[in-house]
Amino acid sequence: MEAGKKYNISIEATLEVIGGKWKCVILCHLTHGKRRTSELKALMPGITQKMLTQQLKELVDDGIVNRISYNEVPPRVEYELTEYGWSLKEILDSLCSWGERHIIKEYGDKSVMLKDSILNK
């Protein structure tokens, strides 16, 4: 945090860490286990490689995600939630539940609007 910075409301601190279009999506995928960058990219076709790399770096810097680098050829890197990152699971589950209710309210049938994915079971 910058020197002298104060939040107006505590949710600003939360959104500073997990806000934006992709961070919660990345975190939801990581609740299902370790993932390599290529796996995350395949699960999130709308994200650019540059954006995925940037978002992962920020989540690592904030202590939410661990970056595990294996000493192999070719190099292998995996990402997983830290213990601190796991503390967000209840929030992520609540966001998913609200999103499902919103989709049903707006479109009637969530299966029409949600892609077939392990996250949507």
Side-chain angles (χ1 to χ4, degrees):
M1 186 169 89
E2 304 161 21
K5 177 180 180 174
K6 288 204 174 187
Y7 297 106
N8 292 308
I9 186 171
S10 55
I11 196 168
E12 292 176 11
T14 307
L15 292 174
E16 190 171 79
V17 176
I18 66 168
K21 183 175 179 179
W22 297 109
K23 285 184 180 175
C24 284
V25 178
I26 292 167
L27 295 173
C28 283
H29 286 298
L30 292 178
T31 65
H32 291 270
K34 292 179 187 173
R35 297 276 191 241
R36 295 176 75 165
T37 310
S38 58
E39 292 175 296
L40 288 168
K41 179 75 176 84
L43 290 166
M44 303 174 357
I47 194 170
T48 65
Q49 186 65 48
K50 179 182 177 186
M51 180 59 71
L52 177 58
T53 302
Q54 176 187 328
Q55 300 289 276
L56 285 166
K57 182 183 181 321
E58 290 175 11
L59 288 166
V60 168
D61 290 346
D62 286 328
I64 305 298
V65 170
N66 279 328
R67 181 183 189 273
I68 306 157
S69 185
Y70 296 91
N71 190 14
E72 298 175 356
V73 178
R76 179 168 59 108
V77 175
E78 291 180 330
Y79 294 90
E80 68 179 357
L81 292 176
T82 63
E83 184 177 338
Y84 188 51
W86 277 107
S87 70
L88 290 165
K89 183 157 180 2
E90 190 177 334
I91 294 168
L92 297 169
D93 290 346
S94 293
L95 288 169
C96 285
S97 294
W98 188 90
E100 280 189 17
R101 288 192 304 274
H102 178 70
I103 289 169
I104 291 166
K105 175 187 168 290
E106 293 295 313
Y107 305 101
D109 181 359
K110 71 177 186 175
S111 66
V112 173
M113 297 305 296
L114 287 173
K115 292 183 178 182
D116 190 27
S117 161
I118 189 169
L119 297 181
N120 296 325
K121 299 290 184 228

